Amino acid sequence: MDSLAVDHLIRKLDSCSELTRSERIAMRKAEPEIRRFGAHEELVREGAPAGGVSFVIEGITCRYKLLRDGRRQIVAYSLPGDMCDLRIFILERADHSIGSVSSGAVAILPRTVLQNLTRKYPGVLHSLWCVSLAEEAITREWLVNVGHRTALERAAHLICEYFYRMQAVGLVRDASCEFPFTQAELADSLALSPVHVNRVLMQLRRAELIRFESHTLHVLDARELQSIAGFSPHYLQVAHRLRGSAEIARALAENPRQPARRR
Amino acid sequence: MDSLAVDHLIRKLDSCSELTRSERIAMRKAEPEIRRFGAHEELVREGAPAGGVSFVIEGITCRYKLLRDGRRQIVAYSLPGDMCDLRIFILERADHSIGSVSSGAVAILPRTVLQNLTRKYPGVLHSLWCVSLAEEAITREWLVNVGHRTALERAAHLICEYFYRMQAVGLVRDASCEFPFTQAELADSLALSPVHVNRVLMQLRRAELIRFESHTLHVLDARELQSIAGFSPHYLQVAHRLRGSAEIARALAENPRQPARRR
DNA sequence: CGATCGTTTGAGTTTGATCAAATGTGGTGG
DNA sequence: CCACCACATTTGATCAAACTCAAACGATCG
């Protein structure tokens, strides 16, 4: 079960920048702690001392910041395979909170384990860096979203991005996927009031672009939805067609610190 | 002159995660190309094929994204010592544009040079990763800013952040520093109209919190300004008190690929 | 079968946008 | 040194997108 959890992480890192066989083997030796959670819980509070590095293996989590007046801005969602918060690896304390959207589970690697891995296998370090850059690209797009798009465009854009990312991790079937968000959570992501989120979602449904059923999202007209959102998936495509990084990874692998089995 | 430029980069990386002597020496061998620019120019257009990795050695640059309708969102400013866009190191093409705010100069390292550095010196790789994480923290704070703060708070917050960062690179004297931004640029950063930026800036000046003189910003009441902004510099302090990263860097240095001179 | 939480709907308000024009200001060339 | 131009800032008036408040409706669960 544990090794299955690490496979999520390996797949993620591998998709960003190819790992060598020896790196994969080393990673599989890690035995993360599994922590289950319910929906809409607080997992890590801002300011909490940094624990291990965790990644989602099931369900959805989010990162958010709270303001003085209690309002919050969700700054990112983590889908299965995503790191909950890489920055924790480097900081003393969490610089924002982490919560769950749906129920699910995270795997937690003690920081020392990851430190040892990055120490011995620079390819892992490189992959982690790539993951960070990919996340930043998404954050930037959110900034554009909240800053310069109308409420309708914003909502459509978030749905497009979510759908794309769910697709990328194989969680979409028949143009539909889980959609566990409350409208209040969407509001905190989009910087809109819950009431207004309700109205724009209704607009999208009435236009027959999407449909909700229990907690499932159906995308009825992806093309039109993307058009309204001004969505272009380009910023998400960090995973593939990396330039140069494959060579780096290979070069790093040529002189591994740890004896590496070659195929 | 060139080596002086690289020193900026070394200082930056070193502040995030300590470099070893050999890493510094190796970096000093790099001979970046220097490119000067005037104020308010476009330096890299979104979609342009990726060139070298550049960092600011004088003046201020910004990253921005353009929307269909021509509006733009500035997503980051780069002060002297900052990388203009690290992500370019990994992508085929720029996924957003880069422009200048003031006149100044950037140093450009061919990608192959940086690739070789990261290949031979994982400590450099680690530092670059830390830099990326620090940048992401700023982007997230901008997202909170644009998403959940009022126009006045937003403007105050941006000024606080800018002032803090300028201080960090030693460009503040007597509570004042260069301030080359046009109100239109501030508007594009804060997701406000230029007219409204004018009004809130006026409010801050009338409250005697700041003063502008030619292109200089004077902060008259930093405490009150921060209070209005809800600014806490915590998210900026990645540079120091890193946890564990020093040990990583040291461990990496113990087995350098390249023969390293020891003091 | 309440109770709780999330969603929906309506009415009035506010923040910040837009449009338009006036007023600085710095730079250039005569 | 001045006239002029381009550009940035300032001010006023009007408008619209999204917020707030309030209440009703609906689902889910013990």
Side-chain angles (χ1 to χ4, degrees), chain B residues 152 156 159 200-210 225:
Chain B
L152 185 69
I159 292 172
V200 295
L201 284 184
M202 201 125 49
Q203 224 176 314
L204 291 175
R205 283 182 308 173
R206 280 213 255 268
E208 314 248 288
L209 304 181
I210 55 173
L225 191 66

Side-chain angles (χ1 to χ4, degrees), chain B residues 7-97:
Chain B
D7 277 347
H8 276 95
L9 182 58
I10 293 176
R11 197 155 37 235
K12 175 77 178 179
L13 296 187
D14 206 39
S15 76
C16 275
S17 151
E18 220 176 314
L19 295 177
T20 62
R21 192 179 158 75
S22 56
E23 282 163 353
R24 281 196 213 111
I25 290 168
M27 290 192 65
R28 286 228 177 72
K29 288 196 189 121
E31 290 181 1
E33 175 197 342
I34 306 297
R35 178 172 165 199
R36 305 216 112 255
F37 50 79
H40 316 295
E41 284 180 7
E42 181 180 76
L43 302 178
V44 175
R45 184 181 302 247
E46 177 166 351
V53 176
S54 50
F55 51 94
V56 180
I57 54 180
E58 188 196 327
I60 295 170
T61 68
C62 64
R63 297 193 269 253
Y64 57 90
K65 282 208 168 198
L66 292 170
L67 277 84
R68 291 170 293 184
D69 58 3
R71 303 204 54 176
R72 73 167 181 170
Q73 172 72 48
I74 294 178
V75 296
Y77 288 119
S78 303
L79 310 191
D82 292 335
M83 319 288 295
C84 289
D85 183 17
L86 257 184
R87 217 165 106 78
I88 208 79
F89 186 46
I90 270 177
L91 291 176
E92 288 269 2
R93 341 194 123 261
D95 72 339
H96 54 252
S97 306

Side-chain angles (χ1 to χ4, degrees), chain B residues 149-206:
Chain B
R149 283 193 250 260
T150 66
L152 185 69
E153 292 167 345
R154 258 182 250 186
H157 196 279
L158 182 66
I159 292 172
C160 284
E161 181 189 291
Y162 175 70
F163 195 68
Y164 244 84
R165 289 176 61 191
M166 286 296 270
Q167 224 158 11
V169 290
L171 291 175
V172 169
R173 272 207 205 308
D174 299 330
S176 29
C177 66
E178 285 289 303
F179 198 83
F181 309 92
T182 65
Q183 294 184 353
E185 282 164 341
L186 296 178
D188 286 341
S189 315
L190 298 169
L192 294 171
S193 69
V195 173
H196 208 62
V197 166
N198 182 280
R199 291 194 229 268
V200 295
L201 284 184
M202 201 125 49
Q203 224 176 314
L204 291 175
R205 283 182 308 173
R206 280 213 255 268

